[in-house]
């Protein structure tokens, strides 16, 4: 135990074992005693943050870490983690450099922006942009766009935290250009559009598009801000996915500052990307809050490597895991289900019925909430009193590589969209632990 875990932890485990013996008044039996201590020690030394197998069917699952990194990004992170780097050092001049500089040119090239800056996540990007450009003044937003996204990010609350006044216009389902125009006054700092990421208003609706809103803003010499949320950097339609507005489209339509996430459809690390007109980005960068929200070197390394993949669009689908998983052919997923079915049936025994079923995955992270991707799953059911789905789900989560599925209609569904070859091997290797 000392060799594996060190003296201090081993001693703690033995003391805890002795305490347990005292309270239970059990007989001291050396082999059993040290076996227990060692199990306890193993359990406590398992890391808290672990890789899991995401079989929920939600690809960019916020609770399961959203996008996973391309190998290129992982390598880039490892390279800067364990040694010094030129994070804020200009190798050409030998003087102090800018940490955003490693990514800014790439982002400008991909999106067509004049300038770009980076923060910790998109919530921070919105907060910083509003603080820098609109503190103590009004920002006009449609009532149809006052979103709340998971984890209590509410647009009205962010506005007040940023010290600006939210001026709501229009109604939940319909907002017109004249609504914005009539609200513009002396204290207006900006007009803003927010992507309603996780809901859709259907029926008798009307919104003002980016181009029209930018036109209104510019006629009054005001900036137009757009929070895209996910903001895919490529048009997803050619990949057979629903179209999601891109930052390049927003900028081309006249938006002055556009914010979006790094770990949603972009497929990179958690980050908030702010792109737009140079004069405004400079003001955002100089805001004191920027220092508190800045990115870490590992994130910058991962983001730079991920963005580089976008320079080669022909191979993007293969190299970027988020895009590869979202576009994975149904037949491929189905074949994986057929391969896994016998192993599951064997591990679970006769009380369980294991079937291959059609199902729908979703993109996740509030992207395109109503669109569904055809997929395949293993469906596990128990005959009445044969076993508990909740207990099986808990046992799958307790495996060395935890497996997370979802329970639907009295079946445990394991959507195999996000299970690629390496994950499949891991899953098969640990299935025997479920038996018994
Ligand atoms: C996801 C999202 C955010 C927050 O982004 P994080 O990167 O999760 O902080 C903000 N606005 C919109 C519209 C979003 O969809």
């Amino acid at each position: 135990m000392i060799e594996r875990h060190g003296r201090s932890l081993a001693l703690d485990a033995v003391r805890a074992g002795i305490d347990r013996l005292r309270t239970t008044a059990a007989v001291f039996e050396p082999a059993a005693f040290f076996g227990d201590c060692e199990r306890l020690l193993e359990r406590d030394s398992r890391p808290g943050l672990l890789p899991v197998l995401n079989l929920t069917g939600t690809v960019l699952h916020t609770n399961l870490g959203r996008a996973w990194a391309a190998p290129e990004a992982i390598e880039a992170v490892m390279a800067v983690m364990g040694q010094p780097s030129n994070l804020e050092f200009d190798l050409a001049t030998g003087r102090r450099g800018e940490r955003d500089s490693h990514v800014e040119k790439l982002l400008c090239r991909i999106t067509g922006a004049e300038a770009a800056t980076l923060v910790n996540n998109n919530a921070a990007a919105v907060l910083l942009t509003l603080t820098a450009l609109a503190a103590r003044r009004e920002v006009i937003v449609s009532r149809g766009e006052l979103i709340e996204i998971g984890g209590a990010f509410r647009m009205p609350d962010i506005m007040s935290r940023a010290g600006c006044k939210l001026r709501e216009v229009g109604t939940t389902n319909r907002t017109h250009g004249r609504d914005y125009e009539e609200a513009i006054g002396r204290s207006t700092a900006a007009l803003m559009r927010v992507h309603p990421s996780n809901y859709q208003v259907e029926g008798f609706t009307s919104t003002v598009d980016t181009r029209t809103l930018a036109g209104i803003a510019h006629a009054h010499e005001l900036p137009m801000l757009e929070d895209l949320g996910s903001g895919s950097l490529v048009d997803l339609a050619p990949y057979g996915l629903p179209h999601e507005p891109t930052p390049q489209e927003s900028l081309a339509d006249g938006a002055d500052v556009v914010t979006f996430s790094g770990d949603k459809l972009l497929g990179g690390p958690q980050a908030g990307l702010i792109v737009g007109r140079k004069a405004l980005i400079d003001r955002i960068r100089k805001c004191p809050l920027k220092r508190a929200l800045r990115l870490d070197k590992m994130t910058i390394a991962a983001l730079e490597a991920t963005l580089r993949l976008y320079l080669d669009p022909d191979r993007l689908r293969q190299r970027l895991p988020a895009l590869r998983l979202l576009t994975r052919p149904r037949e491929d997923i189905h074949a994986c289900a057929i391969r896994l079915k016998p192993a599951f049936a064997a591990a679970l025994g006769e009380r369980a019925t294991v079937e291959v079923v059609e199902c729908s995955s979703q993109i996740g992270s509030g992207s395109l909430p109503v669109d569904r991707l055809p997929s395949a799953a293993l469906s596990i059911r128990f005959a009445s009193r044969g076993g508990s789905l909740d207990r099986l789900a808990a046992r799958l989560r307790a495996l060395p590589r935890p497996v997370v599925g979802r329970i639907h209609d009295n079946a445990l569904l394991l959507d195999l969209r996000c299970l690629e070859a390496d994950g499949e091997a891991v899953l098969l290797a640990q299935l025997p632990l479920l038996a018994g």
Side-chain angles (χ1 to χ4, degrees), residues 62 66 120-126 147 149-150 153 155 194-198 227-230 259-264 270-272 365-367:
T62 296
R66 288 195 184 156
N120 218 338
N121 50 40
N122 190 35
V126 174
I147 59 162
I149 56 173
F153 174 92
M155 198 44 85
V194 183
H195 189 300
S197 304
N198 48 11
D227 177 23
L228 281 185
S230 205
T259 52
F260 53 104
S261 288
D263 55 352
K264 292 185 182 171
Q270 178 188 305
S365 276
S367 315

Side-chain angles (χ1 to χ4, degrees), residues 79-91:
V80 297
M81 263 178 94
Q83 54 208 322
S85 62
N86 61 336
L87 179 63
E88 287 185 357
F89 184 76
D90 187 331
L91 290 172

